[in-house]
Amino acid sequence: GIQVEQSPPDLILQEGANSTLRCNFSDSVNNLQWFHQNPWGQLINLFYIPSGTKQNGRLSATTVATERYSLLYISSSQTTDSGVYFCAVVANAGNNRKLIWGLGTSLAVNP
Amino acid sequence: DGGITQSPKYLFRKEGQNVTLSCEQNLNHDAMYWYRQDPGQGLRLIYYSQIVNDFQKGDIAEGYSVSREKKESFPLTVTSAQKNPTAFYLCASSIRTGNVKNSPLHFGNGTRLTVT
């Protein structure tokens, strides 16, 4: 089945810094989503982005489907950005409609 | 506001007891899902349902059961057959557009189950 790899696994930033999180996937996809899980466990859908670029405030995401990767950009990071960022995909091939999840990037933003 | 409500937030049970976790949504979503998350891990799919009165096993369905009698509700029962039930359980929903591949997923706040 499709594999999803996220990097880096851990990231520590000072408040105000910018960062780029990466999600690589091993096969073509027609569904890719980025999620943020805060330290209390709440999961929020950030982007639904199987291709192209989207922006929402300080966050933006780009998926290059032909090269099988997606990037999540966080600009001017804040302590509230801390938590785990997950990438999840659904493969184009086959009848499996389930989201396949990466293991996440754990981000800590220090004041 | 529309959303997904999971209750309770924390749940404690003795080993050997069945326990049911509640998940209710008022987003008018057709599809609902249950995931399990263990510390430092990603999410693993337990069960999902694309329509009322129908549900499918996910990757780790053993020891769990579900029902989907109403569109708004998708309760999960953790049975005594589940060998390691202590975990964080997340319920999610999405619009069924005829192809579940194209639907953003929305989550509840989760239930932390501890079995001793």
Side-chain angles (χ1 to χ4, degrees):
Chain A
I2 191 168
Q3 305 293 315
V4 181
E5 293 183 358
Q6 292 187 242
S7 60
D10 301 282
L11 187 58
I12 300 174
L13 299 174
Q14 283 301 123
E15 202 167 22
N18 303 329
S19 63
T20 301
L21 282 56
R22 187 176 181 102
C23 173
N24 291 335
F25 40 96
S26 60
D27 207 343
S28 63
V29 300
N30 60 20
N31 183 334
L32 187 147
Q33 300 180 41
W34 282 99
F35 297 87
H36 174 227
Q37 187 170 37
N38 67 22
W40 297 271
Q42 186 181 18
L43 261 167
I44 301 296
N45 190 307
L46 298 175
F47 294 103
Y48 168 73
I49 185 165
S51 63
T53 297
K54 289 186 178 179
Q55 179 152 9
N56 185 1
R58 296 181 296 103
L59 301 181
S60 65
T62 295
T63 297
V64 184
T66 53
E67 297 188 21
R68 299 182 184 171
Y69 73 87
S70 183
L71 302 174
L72 179 69
Y73 304 96
I74 305 174
S75 64
S76 304
S77 58
Q78 300 177 0
T79 55
T80 52
D81 295 330
S82 296
V84 182
Y85 291 81
F86 289 103
C87 168
V89 306
V90 176
N92 258 331
N95 294 320
N96 188 346
R97 299 175 173 179
K98 294 178 288 187
L99 273 171
I100 306 300
W101 294 76
L103 294 181
T105 291
S106 180
L107 173 66
V109 180
N110 295 326
Chain B
D1 281 2
I4 303 173
T5 301
Q6 288 187 244
S7 61
K9 190 172 183 179
Y10 298 95
L11 191 53
F12 298 89
R13 279 294 182 271
K14 295 286 188 187
E15 196 172 313
Q17 293 179 333
N18 291 354
V19 59
T20 297
L21 281 59
S22 169
C23 178
E24 304 278 333
Q25 55 99 358
N26 60 4
L27 299 167
N28 200 31
H29 286 174
D30 286 298
M32 296 186 74
Y33 312 80
W34 274 106
Y35 287 92
R36 170 183 172 137
Q37 187 178 32
D38 294 283
Q41 301 294 314
L43 276 67
R44 292 186 291 169
L45 183 64
I46 304 172
Y47 268 99
Y48 64 103
S49 167
Q50 296 187 43
I51 198 167
V52 174
N53 292 324
D54 182 65
F55 47 82
Q56 308 293 328
K57 291 183 179 179
D59 301 314
I60 55 165
E62 185 175 349
Y64 299 98
S65 66
V66 293
S67 62
R68 187 85 188 277
E69 297 176 1
K70 297 186 301 181
K71 185 176 185 178
E72 302 79 19
S73 178
F74 191 40
L76 173 74
T77 296
V78 184
T79 75
S80 57
Q82 168 50 233
K83 296 196 182 341
N84 296 297
T86 294
F88 186 48
Y89 291 88
L90 286 154
C91 178
S93 71
S94 66
I95 295 170
R96 180 170 179 260
T97 61
N99 182 340
V100 184
K101 295 182 183 182
N102 301 323
S103 301
L105 210 59
H106 300 272
F107 281 88
N109 288 341
T111 292
R112 291 192 187 278
L113 173 64
T114 303
V115 177
T116 57

